[in-house]
Amino acid sequence: MKAEVALTVESTTVHVGLSERSYDIHIGLNNLSTIGELAGELGDISHVVVITDSNVRDLYGETVLKSLSQNDFQVDIMTVPAGESSKSVSILEELWQQMLSLGADRKTVIVALGGGVVGDLAGFVAASYGRGVRFIQIPTTLLATVDSSVGGKVGINLPGAKNMVGAFWQPQAVLIDVAVLESLPARDYHAGLAEVVKYGVIQDEDFFNQLENNVGLILERDAEFMRDVIARCCELKAYVVENDERETSGLRAILNYGHTFCHAIEACAGYGTYMHGEAVAIGMLCASRLAEALGRITSEDTARQHNLLVQLNLPIALPQDLKREPMVEAMKRDKKTEHGKIRFILPTRIGHVELVDDVDEALALAAFN
Ligand code: GLY
């Protein structure tokens, strides 16, 4: 079954069709308080555990707890420190122990309330506790709404190896409140926009055109426009996930456009120097330049990406003093590398990308500049 988008004045639903693992993504304005009703509809629940972080709890914890408490199940909340370091074995173990202390069982439903870190961590608690319990994603960053909360990739980091331990575990539902965008710091919001641009390049030229023509609305965080932007990204991602849930056919790999360069930049610049979306923006331009060097795309199409990313306040180049050679070495260590060959997702035009795995290292090195 293919993804469907049903637009109404106030809210949009995107369906992810995965047989018995199908679910809906509900996208609306000020709809956080509907979480109680949404959880209640799952049925056969004794207990809901909200997993969130210290920042998000202050902003949205009360609304979510109040809505959930209108049902007759037990409601608890577990809070982890904000930041990537919470995606660790030690925090995971603490959460398992707390779940046990709270009497969590197979009828417990986890609600992941937060950005990508919380979604990945709470999702992995759901995938592993009691050999798997149900969970609902409530993403609260732009990046999480358009990418990590959809598609079931959950997990934690090992020291020096991001997302190395995890699972494919689909949520029962995703609830997106576009109002959360208002509270995001400018840098987080702009970083999230890099993944939005990515969908236009990899799958949908019309969508890319719409972004180019509406930069003002995007920068103003216009709720109605951004609701439709998020819905389109979710629809495009749903199509990919429906057709390659476990990343076996190569289709899901297209979501990694710019990410081979991005992961090397993150590792060599030092984690935290660039936000993930910022490194994605630079990485997409590196990938497009590489595609140009291979005669796969025109310089005009690279320029369109460059111009849009600049208008969205994203970085587009690396500092000169950041050494390029170690980044090529880092690319070779990427967990998506196969038999020592670095694989790239490269565009052939705006709206279409291909997997390319026989690239000369010297060309990859040159693409950083
Ligand atoms: N974020 C890439 C994926 O979900 O496959």
Side-chain angles (χ1 to χ4, degrees):
M1 210 197 324
K2 293 283 170 277
E4 284 168 21
V5 171
L7 275 180
T8 65
V9 176
E10 289 180 350
S11 64
T12 300
T13 302
V14 176
H15 182 70
V16 186
L18 288 167
S19 312
E20 72 285 358
R21 295 180 308 291
S22 297
Y23 53 95
D24 285 335
I25 305 165
H26 306 272
I27 307 157
L29 257 184
N30 301 314
N31 60 355
L32 270 192
S33 56
T34 63
I35 179 61
E37 201 182 317
L38 190 65
E41 282 167 11
L42 297 181
D44 208 20
I45 302 184
S46 59
H47 183 198
V48 171
V49 178
V50 178
I51 301 181
T52 190
D53 73 29
S54 40
N55 293 340
V56 176
R57 183 179 178 145
D58 289 346
L59 289 168
Y60 309 117
E62 200 182 320
T63 307
V64 165
L65 290 179
K66 191 170 162 212
S67 173
L68 287 166
S69 64
Q70 280 156 15
N71 293 280
D72 57 6
F73 36 71
Q74 177 189 337
V75 180
D76 290 298
I77 186 162
M78 309 196 299
T79 307
V80 300
E84 187 76 25
S85 57
S86 282
K87 270 175 69 172
S88 65
V89 176
S90 58
I91 296 277
L92 178 68
E93 188 182 352
E94 271 179 37
L95 293 176
W96 282 333
Q97 292 294 347
Q98 281 185 53
M99 291 278 285
L100 197 62
S101 310
L102 293 169
D105 61 20
R106 302 298 300 276
K107 291 189 177 181
T108 297
V109 170
I110 289 175
V111 170
L113 173 66
V117 167
V118 165
D120 286 6
L121 175 67
F124 193 47
V125 175
S128 52
Y129 184 83
R131 295 203 179 90
V133 298
R134 294 170 292 174
F135 85 116
I136 297 175
Q137 290 268 22
I138 308 184
T140 59
T141 62
L142 180 57
L143 195 91
T145 61
V146 297
D147 183 27
S148 56
S149 68
V150 176
K153 278 190 182 175
V154 296
I156 57 165
N157 303 326
L158 295 181
K162 276 188 88 174
N163 297 326
M164 191 45 85
V165 177
F168 290 97
W169 191 250
Q170 301 293 342
Q172 300 293 307
V174 182
L175 179 64
I176 298 176
D177 184 351
V178 181
V180 301
L181 300 182
E182 284 164 27
S183 68
L184 292 177
R187 195 173 167 196
D188 293 61
Y189 181 69
H190 297 141
L193 290 171
E195 297 276 0
V196 171
V197 171
K198 178 192 81 177
Y199 286 105
V201 181
I202 66 175
Q203 282 170 286
D204 188 345
E205 184 171 15
D206 285 347
F207 180 57
F208 190 92
N209 295 340
Q210 273 180 38
L211 299 174
E212 282 181 323
N213 295 333
N214 291 283
V215 167
L217 289 178
I218 298 170
L219 293 177
E220 280 165 27
R221 309 187 192 190
D222 180 86
E224 219 166 321
F225 188 74
M226 289 310 295
R227 175 202 59 193
D228 293 344
V229 163
I230 292 169
R232 185 64 187 145
C233 294
C234 289
E235 186 187 29
L236 291 166
K237 179 150 188 187
Y239 172 80
V240 170
V241 171
E242 285 168 352
N243 289 286
D244 186 19
E245 185 184 4
R246 290 182 166 248
E247 207 165 325
T248 46
S249 76
L251 176 64
R252 191 162 180 164
I254 70 171
L255 299 171
N256 290 322
Y257 174 52
H259 284 62
T260 306
F261 286 100
C262 156
H263 292 152
I265 293 166
E266 285 177 314
C268 295
Y271 284 107
T273 304
Y274 290 102
M275 295 193 74
H276 178 66
E278 294 171 340
V280 169
I282 300 171
M284 289 193 291
L285 291 179
C286 293
S288 198
R289 278 194 296 271
L290 177 57
E292 257 186 61
L294 293 167
R296 290 174 160 265
I297 194 171
T298 62
S299 56
E300 288 77 22
D301 280 340
T302 306
R304 283 181 72 190
Q305 296 170 68
H306 174 280
N307 295 342
L308 182 55
L309 294 169
V310 168
Q311 289 184 75
L312 298 177
N313 294 324
L314 280 153
I316 37 85
L318 290 168
Q320 280 309 321
D321 59 356
L322 189 66
K323 291 206 171 10
R324 280 30 177 183
E325 287 78 7
M327 290 193 277
V328 176
E329 292 309 310
M331 287 200 279
K332 290 193 205 160
R333 291 193 301 271
D334 194 286
K335 73 175 183 302
K336 296 208 163 53
T337 300
E338 274 187 7
H339 311 298
K341 282 188 178 169
I342 314 171
R343 303 194 311 165
F344 294 95
I345 304 298
L346 300 182
T348 54
R349 59 175 172 80
I350 301 291
H352 185 75
V353 286
E354 288 172 358
L355 182 63
V356 181
D357 65 5
D358 53 357
V359 174
D360 184 338
E361 259 181 61
L363 289 179
L365 180 66
F368 276 112
N369 294 314

